[in-house]
Amino acid sequence: MVFKEVPVRMMATELSVWYYALFSWRKKTALKTNDVAFSYHNAGGYMNMMLGFTLTFLVEIVGIYLLLSQWNVVAAIVVTTLSVYAAVWLLGDARAMRPIVVDESTMWLECGIQMETIIPLDEIETVVFSDAEVRGIDDAERLSYGTFYHAGAWIAAKQPVEVRTPLDTKRVRAFGISVDDPKAFAALAEERIGVAE
């Protein structure tokens, strides 16, 4: 990757965060007839974590502003602005969480603004429930986007697949994800993998 691409990717990520936080409230995932969507908002307590962060930010923003404004108003404004910015980031990332979609020939993975990839079903080797079951794939070729780094399902590809992340593009063979119903996800994936082959 050319070094000059990094600032462009950073700017694109920033704009994405603001778009999802402020303008994406009516956007829904468009599904075709045979598409099946799997949510991962509740897996591993993700929504509880986001609710906790939101409540913490509300208390922190007001409390820190009141405390700092007694000492220095400029410092209070700067810290409050950074706190609001962090809250927008969290909101944008939460809003960017789209369901995992399995259609008749591909699997679409989108974990907020952190990762996006499309895997052809005939390129998927297996879907398992723990990283210990993913055999023959080095750590360098794995990405885990499970909540609190605990993936409820792992997708292993036959060969590396291109993945877009905020700062670069990687080639990865195994993806760890949190999904609300991992057994139904694995069953459908295995069924459609068999049809695609």
Side-chain angles (χ1 to χ4, degrees):
M1 179 178 70
V2 180
F3 179 72
K4 292 179 182 177
E5 289 181 25
V6 173
V8 173
R9 287 181 179 271
M10 290 174 69
M11 182 59 71
T13 300
E14 288 292 325
L15 293 174
S16 301
V17 166
W18 286 92
Y19 165 76
Y20 282 114
L22 303 175
F23 305 111
S24 70
W25 291 91
R26 291 188 178 198
K27 182 180 178 182
K28 296 197 186 305
T29 303
L31 297 175
K32 297 186 291 270
T33 306
N34 291 325
D35 293 358
V36 180
F38 292 91
S39 65
Y40 52 96
H41 297 90
N42 297 318
Y46 178 79
M47 289 309 288
N48 292 334
M49 177 184 71
M50 295 309 293
L51 179 61
F53 276 140
T54 302
L55 294 173
T56 301
F57 267 115
L58 291 174
V59 172
E60 184 259 345
I61 287 170
V62 173
I64 294 295
Y65 177 81
L66 293 173
L67 183 66
L68 285 178
S69 64
Q70 295 176 10
W71 169 68
N72 186 319
V73 175
V74 174
I77 291 170
V78 168
V79 170
T80 301
T81 303
L82 291 173
S83 295
V84 169
Y85 175 75
V88 169
W89 251 88
L90 281 175
L91 180 61
D93 190 46
R95 287 289 307 146
M97 293 288 184
R98 298 284 174 236
I100 298 163
V101 176
V102 181
D103 63 25
E104 293 178 335
S105 61
T106 56
M107 182 181 295
W108 299 66
L109 300 178
E110 231 181 319
C111 294
I113 58 168
Q114 303 163 39
M115 182 270 278
E116 180 182 350
T117 190
I118 301 168
I119 310 171
L121 291 179
D122 58 2
E123 288 297 318
I124 295 176
E125 189 174 312
T126 188
V127 177
V128 294
F129 300 113
S130 73
D131 61 341
E133 296 177 79
V134 179
R135 306 200 194 290
I137 299 177
D138 295 335
D139 287 345
E141 291 187 294
R142 298 179 187 218
L143 278 181
S144 179
Y145 283 95
T147 307
F148 302 117
Y149 299 100
H150 175 72
W154 280 84
I155 303 150
K158 295 174 183 172
Q159 55 191 344
V161 177
E162 191 171 278
V163 180
R164 182 199 55 79
T165 65
L167 295 180
D168 63 1
T169 301
K170 299 179 180 182
R171 295 193 61 77
V172 179
R173 277 194 60 205
F175 303 87
I177 56 170
S178 291
V179 60
D180 292 342
D181 191 348
K183 290 184 179 177
F185 171 74
L188 179 78
E190 294 288 353
E191 176 190 318
R192 293 202 173 177
I193 289 166
V195 171
E197 288 179 333

